[in-house]
Amino acid sequence: MKTTMRNVLLALAVALPNHVRALWPIPRQLSTGTTALRLANSFSINASFASPPGDLEDAISRTVGFLKTDQLAPLTPDRGVAVASGVGGAPELGALVLSLSGGAQANAIAEEAMKAVGTRDESYVLNVPADGSQATLEANSTLGLFRGLTTFGQLWYTAGGQTFSTEAPISITDSPAFPFRGFMLDTARNYFPVSDIKRTLDAMSWVKINQFHWHVVDSQSFPLQVPGFLELAEKAAYDNSSIYSASDVSDIVSYAAARGIDVLIEIDTPGHTSAISKAFPQHIACPEATPWANFAAEPPAGQLRIASNDTVNFTASLLSSVAKMFPSALMSTGGDEVNTACYAQDEETQAQLNATGTTIMQALSAFTNTTHAAIRELGKTPVVWEEMVLDYNVTLPNDTVVMVWISSDDVAAVAEKGFRLVHAASDYFYLDCGAGEWIGADVDGNSWCDPFKSWQKSYSFDPFANVTADSQALILGGEHALWTEQSGPQNLDPIVWPRAASGAEVFWTGATLPGGAPRNGSSALPRLHDVSFRMRARGVNAISLQPLWCALRPNVCDLTA
């Protein structure tokens, strides 16, 4: 009888193809079997060490809850009915036990998540036996345990009233290929309520994205309430309901950190600062000058008066005040799209340049280094956009982090200068591309970064392309970015998910899949369908990637099928 049952379970496991494995990002080392295993109704997750931190206990509770509520059926034509009908006699898994490696401190997940990039330990080892004996999850930190819990929650399907896997025993040894795996959200073009940001942070954590790059202000609005500069949000936010208070910031930072995510705040300077003129007009050159296209990358025009000592001191004080709101070791001061024509027609800027005998680029370098010094005093490492080191040739210390956005072709030049860098290239990772022109009176216009960047495009990215072997250590990772000229709360989920998950796997798993095969879209697509279905089950409105007919029949809709 036992032999017959084993044969049935083996047949069922084989019938459910390997591709249904719903792991994303796929672990770097993974081995699986062909034995069916059920979750017991009394299944529990327990820490083997004393006094687990509260955010780890919360993560355990969420994991157990998802195991009950995801109800993700296998993506097969019968939605797992045949398999579920035969797993009733399979062994039951009653518990997952969490442990920290010898000597590791049980710090809060939040504390581990906000350590400097490159110093966080996200590794873990997960083992799920086939016989129903307890599963184990071991890590060097609570952050590693959190990553392992995320993986464990993806191992299971539900059908016919059974929650099961057909791939036991499962053994995973995992750690990220890159320490920086990010998502950037612009909340200045259009405002996003705190609840939308939190939902996005949840989704990020499910695919192990660990950096929330918050582009919080820009020329269009200044929605951040900054202590000592309250006039900015009061006068430059869209309205009183479109402001992030200090309490909101604290809430977002703590919510993110408990989910293994560090918040990298960006206050873009000296360009993209027109909104500041609403509260401090003395510091802004060419405010809302027209025609705007002569003075800015997009309306409204306006830039900080970088040659003014008063403005430099104002900016340094503003950045310092913002820096104190965010515990991250990183802070971005932007630095992109500085418009020299704006300064050329600004009488005050020209008078100051002439009085000191300096050029605009010399003034920009002095402005940047003075403002950076202010945040460095608070323990922050500055982050800048690529123009600062490629176009403006500002002299910056080599620990400055550079984000490459204009083109992936620029990566090599940044690396050659010895800067650590983050991939954010518009030709792979800009989620807003391909939506058509948002500027009015331009009937035939398209977005500047056409075409649409599909998940397949970003998934094909090679982080080391055109980078010498000696420079590869400078690559911190990468991020998807959503600039929101044409996005708001109404389309946040569909435009981001699951596309942003593609980059999460690129920068977690690296170039090769478990077993050594090159990372490839054909094997990824069935798993990414699972990501979408699971996200929707958890309240994130991720889009479908194909007709359901295709999703239920992996690779049948490939171009070469």
Side-chain angles (χ1 to χ4, degrees), residues 389-417:
V389 299
L390 294 186
D391 297 342
Y392 314 144
N393 203 28
V394 173
T395 302
L396 295 173
N398 275 113
D399 69 335
T400 305
V401 175
V402 178
M403 289 193 164
V404 176
W405 71 275
I406 296 174
S407 170
S408 57
D409 292 338
D410 297 337
V411 168
V414 174
E416 285 172 6
K417 290 178 176 285

Coordinates of all heavy atoms in Angstrom, one line a residue, residues 389-417:
V389 N 29.3 63.7 -13.0 CA 30.7 63.2 -13.2 C 31.0 63.1 -14.7 O 32.2 63.0 -15.0 CB 30.9 61.9 -12.5 CG1 30.8 62.0 -11.0 CG2 30.1 60.8 -13.0
L390 N 30.0 63.0 -15.6 CA 30.3 62.8 -17.0 C 30.2 64.1 -17.8 O 31.0 64.4 -18.7 CB 29.4 61.8 -17.6 CG 29.5 60.3 -17.1 CD1 28.6 59.4 -17.9 CD2 31.0 59.9 -17.2
D391 N 29.2 65.0 -17.5 CA 29.0 66.2 -18.2 C 29.5 67.4 -17.6 O 30.1 68.3 -18.2 CB 27.5 66.4 -18.5 CG 26.9 65.2 -19.4 OD1 27.7 64.5 -20.0 OD2 25.7 65.1 -19.4
Y392 N 29.3 67.5 -16.3 CA 29.7 68.8 -15.6 C 31.1 68.6 -15.0 O 31.7 69.7 -14.6 CB 28.7 69.1 -14.4 CG 27.3 69.0 -14.8 CD1 26.3 68.5 -14.0 CD2 26.9 69.4 -16.1 CE1 25.0 68.4 -14.3 CE2 25.5 69.3 -16.5 CZ 24.6 68.8 -15.6 OH 23.3 68.7 -15.9
N393 N 31.6 67.4 -14.9 CA 33.0 67.2 -14.4 C 33.2 67.8 -13.0 O 34.3 68.4 -12.7 CB 34.1 67.7 -15.4 CG 35.4 67.0 -15.2 OD1 35.5 65.9 -14.7 ND2 36.5 67.7 -15.5
V394 N 32.2 67.7 -12.2 CA 32.3 68.1 -10.8 C 33.3 67.2 -10.1 O 33.2 66.0 -10.2 CB 30.9 68.1 -10.1 CG1 31.0 68.4 -8.6 CG2 30.0 69.1 -10.8
T395 N 34.2 67.8 -9.3 CA 35.1 67.0 -8.6 C 34.5 66.4 -7.3 O 34.1 67.2 -6.4 CB 36.4 67.8 -8.2 OG1 37.0 68.4 -9.3 CG2 37.4 67.0 -7.4
L396 N 34.3 65.1 -7.2 CA 33.7 64.4 -6.1 C 34.5 63.3 -5.6 O 35.2 62.6 -6.4 CB 32.3 63.9 -6.6 CG 31.2 64.9 -7.0 CD1 30.0 64.2 -7.6 CD2 30.8 65.8 -5.9
P397 N 34.5 63.0 -4.3 CA 35.2 61.9 -3.8 C 34.6 60.6 -4.4 O 33.5 60.5 -4.8 CB 34.8 61.9 -2.3 CG 34.5 63.3 -2.0 CD 33.8 63.8 -3.3
N398 N 35.5 59.6 -4.5 CA 35.1 58.4 -5.2 C 34.2 57.5 -4.4 O 33.7 56.5 -5.0 CB 36.4 57.5 -5.5 CG 37.0 58.0 -6.9 OD1 38.1 58.5 -6.9 ND2 36.3 57.8 -8.0
D399 N 33.9 57.8 -3.2 CA 32.8 57.0 -2.5 C 31.4 57.5 -2.8 O 30.5 56.9 -2.5 CB 33.0 57.1 -0.9 CG 32.8 58.4 -0.4 OD1 32.9 59.4 -1.1 OD2 32.4 58.5 0.9
T400 N 31.3 58.6 -3.6 CA 30.0 59.1 -4.1 C 29.4 58.0 -5.0 O 30.1 57.4 -5.8 CB 30.2 60.4 -4.9 OG1 30.9 61.3 -4.1 CG2 28.9 60.9 -5.3
V401 N 28.2 57.8 -4.8 CA 27.5 56.8 -5.7 C 26.8 57.5 -6.8 O 26.1 58.5 -6.7 CB 26.4 56.0 -4.8 CG1 25.6 55.1 -5.7 CG2 27.1 55.3 -3.7
V402 N 27.0 57.0 -8.0 CA 26.5 57.6 -9.3 C 25.4 56.7 -9.9 O 25.6 55.5 -10.1 CB 27.6 57.8 -10.3 CG1 27.1 58.4 -11.6 CG2 28.7 58.7 -9.7
M403 N 24.3 57.3 -10.1 CA 23.2 56.6 -10.8 C 23.2 56.9 -12.3 O 23.2 58.1 -12.7 CB 21.8 57.0 -10.2 CG 21.6 56.4 -8.8 SD 19.9 56.6 -8.3 CE 19.9 55.4 -6.9
V404 N 23.3 55.8 -13.1 CA 23.4 56.0 -14.6 C 22.0 55.9 -15.1 O 21.3 54.8 -15.0 CB 24.3 54.9 -15.2 CG1 24.3 55.0 -16.7 CG2 25.7 55.1 -14.6
W405 N 21.5 57.0 -15.7 CA 20.1 56.9 -16.2 C 19.9 57.2 -17.6 O 18.9 56.7 -18.3 CB 19.3 58.0 -15.3 CG 19.6 59.4 -15.6 CD1 20.6 60.2 -15.1 CD2 18.9 60.3 -16.5 NE1 20.5 61.5 -15.6 CE2 19.5 61.5 -16.5 CE3 17.8 60.1 -17.4 CZ2 19.0 62.6 -17.3 CZ3 17.3 61.2 -18.2 CH2 18.0 62.4 -18.1
I406 N 20.8 58.0 -18.2 CA 20.5 58.5 -19.6 C 20.6 57.3 -20.6 O 19.8 57.1 -21.4 CB 21.5 59.6 -20.0 CG1 21.3 60.8 -19.1 CG2 21.4 59.9 -21.5 CD1 22.3 61.9 -19.4
S407 N 21.7 56.5 -20.4 CA 21.8 55.3 -21.3 C 22.8 54.3 -20.6 O 23.7 54.7 -19.9 CB 22.5 55.7 -22.6 OG 22.8 54.6 -23.4
S408 N 22.5 53.1 -20.8 CA 23.4 52.0 -20.3 C 24.8 52.1 -20.9 O 25.8 51.6 -20.4 CB 22.8 50.6 -20.6 OG 22.6 50.4 -22.0
D409 N 24.9 52.8 -22.1 CA 26.2 53.0 -22.7 C 27.1 53.9 -21.9 O 28.4 53.9 -22.1 CB 26.0 53.6 -24.1 CG 25.4 52.7 -25.1 OD1 25.4 51.5 -24.9 OD2 24.8 53.2 -26.1
D410 N 26.6 54.6 -20.9 CA 27.4 55.5 -20.1 C 28.0 54.8 -18.9 O 28.8 55.4 -18.2 CB 26.5 56.7 -19.6 CG 26.0 57.5 -20.7 OD1 26.6 57.5 -21.8 OD2 24.9 58.2 -20.5
V411 N 27.7 53.6 -18.6 CA 28.2 52.9 -17.4 C 29.7 52.8 -17.5 O 30.4 53.0 -16.4 CB 27.5 51.5 -17.3 CG1 28.2 50.6 -16.3 CG2 26.1 51.6 -17.0
A412 N 30.2 52.4 -18.6 CA 31.7 52.2 -18.7 C 32.4 53.5 -18.3 O 33.5 53.4 -17.6 CB 32.1 51.7 -20.1
A413 N 32.0 54.6 -18.8 CA 32.6 55.9 -18.5 C 32.6 56.2 -17.0 O 33.6 56.8 -16.5 CB 32.0 57.0 -19.3
V414 N 31.5 56.0 -16.3 CA 31.4 56.2 -14.9 C 32.4 55.3 -14.2 O 33.1 55.7 -13.3 CB 30.0 56.0 -14.4 CG1 29.9 56.1 -12.9 CG2 29.0 57.0 -15.0
A415 N 32.4 54.0 -14.6 CA 33.3 53.0 -13.9 C 34.7 53.4 -14.1 O 35.6 53.2 -13.2 CB 33.0 51.6 -14.4
E416 N 35.1 53.9 -15.3 CA 36.4 54.2 -15.6 C 36.9 55.4 -14.7 O 38.1 55.5 -14.4 CB 36.6 54.7 -17.0 CG 36.6 53.5 -18.0 CD 36.5 54.0 -19.5 OE1 36.6 55.2 -19.7 OE2 36.4 53.1 -20.4
K417 N 36.0 56.2 -14.2 CA 36.4 57.2 -13.2 C 36.5 56.8 -11.8 O 36.8 57.5 -10.9 CB 35.4 58.4 -13.3 CG 35.4 59.2 -14.6 CD 34.4 60.3 -14.7 CE 34.5 61.1 -15.9 NZ 35.7 62.1 -15.8

